[in-house]
Amino acid sequence: MAIRSFKDKQPKIGESVFIDDSAVVIGDVTLGDDVSIWPTTVLRGDVESITIGDGTNVQDGSVLHVTHAGKYTAQGHPLKIGKGVTIGHRAVVHACTVGDYCLIGIGAVIMDGAVLEDYVMLGAGALVPPGKRLESGYLYVGAPAKQARPLKESEKEFLEYSSRQYIQLKNEYLKMKD
């Protein structure tokens, strides 16, 4: 079953959301409207919350998780993802904050407490270390991720376009389920 409760926490699903049958959404997870969760993706909100904004897409094989409060972490870290975000295939997004209209490249890893401001493009395979802040309007690449250059206006437009295209695609999948 793709949607599971954990203890007393049940995922909250917005309007017109697509969750592939092979994806797993567990616990304290809130999905906004027009979100798409693609095959073999895992969203595990078991020890903190996961919140995903409207129009965000989480592509195949991605893992989204959180950090609990405990002996080595004074406070837990939830996962907060803004609206219109594209999370590429096989990304790991862990206990961090991602602003609106970001692109997380294929295979990228974002660690606890990191912050991506709005309109950030994170290259494929990049690693964002714990607590690092990525400034709005830039491309970041590498491991650890470093600011490469400002985004062109056309790239900022692409970030919004990507979200719209995935909304159209998930709508086609939803029609097939009817």
Side-chain angles (χ1 to χ4, degrees):
M1 186 164 136
I3 301 171
R4 301 182 198 161
S5 59
F6 180 76
K7 295 185 177 179
D8 63 341
K9 302 292 184 183
Q10 177 70 30
K12 297 172 191 74
I13 311 298
E15 297 292 318
S16 193
V17 169
F18 171 75
I19 301 171
D20 187 83
D21 292 338
S22 68
V24 180
V25 179
I26 301 171
D28 192 0
V29 176
T30 301
L31 303 179
D33 297 340
D34 286 318
V35 167
S36 56
I37 308 297
W38 296 93
T40 70
T41 294
V42 176
L43 284 72
R44 188 159 55 93
D46 49 7
V47 296
E48 267 291 348
S49 65
I50 296 174
T51 304
I52 298 180
D54 296 347
T56 287
N57 62 88
V58 184
Q59 296 175 18
D60 314 61
S62 293
V63 175
L64 282 63
H65 193 232
V66 292
T67 297
H68 72 284
K71 181 178 177 181
Y72 299 101
T73 307
Q75 63 183 35
H77 290 283
L79 174 58
K80 298 176 185 172
I81 298 173
K83 68 180 179 183
V85 174
T86 295
I87 299 176
H89 311 285
R90 211 180 40 78
V92 176
V93 185
H94 201 273
C96 59
T97 300
V98 177
D100 296 340
Y101 299 107
C102 291
L103 182 138
I104 311 306
I106 294 169
V109 176
I110 307 172
M111 298 300 296
D112 297 30
V115 175
L116 278 64
E117 296 178 356
D118 298 344
Y119 292 93
V120 165
M121 191 176 286
L122 182 62
L127 169 66
V128 181
K132 182 162 177 124
R133 178 176 286 270
L134 305 187
E135 185 181 350
S136 179
Y138 287 89
L139 167 67
Y140 291 82
V141 296
K146 295 199 182 329
Q147 195 178 88
R149 62 171 172 76
L151 293 177
K152 299 172 189 167
E153 227 20 73
S154 62
E155 291 169 321
K156 290 179 184 176
E157 291 169 7
F158 172 78
L159 296 175
E160 294 181 25
Y161 167 85
S162 180
S163 173
R164 288 191 307 270
Q165 286 303 113
Y166 266 92
I167 289 170
Q168 288 180 355
L169 183 60
K170 67 96 185 151
N171 285 341
E172 292 176 35
Y173 275 79
L174 287 173
K175 284 179 188 173
M176 291 174 28
K177 281 189 160 191
D178 292 341

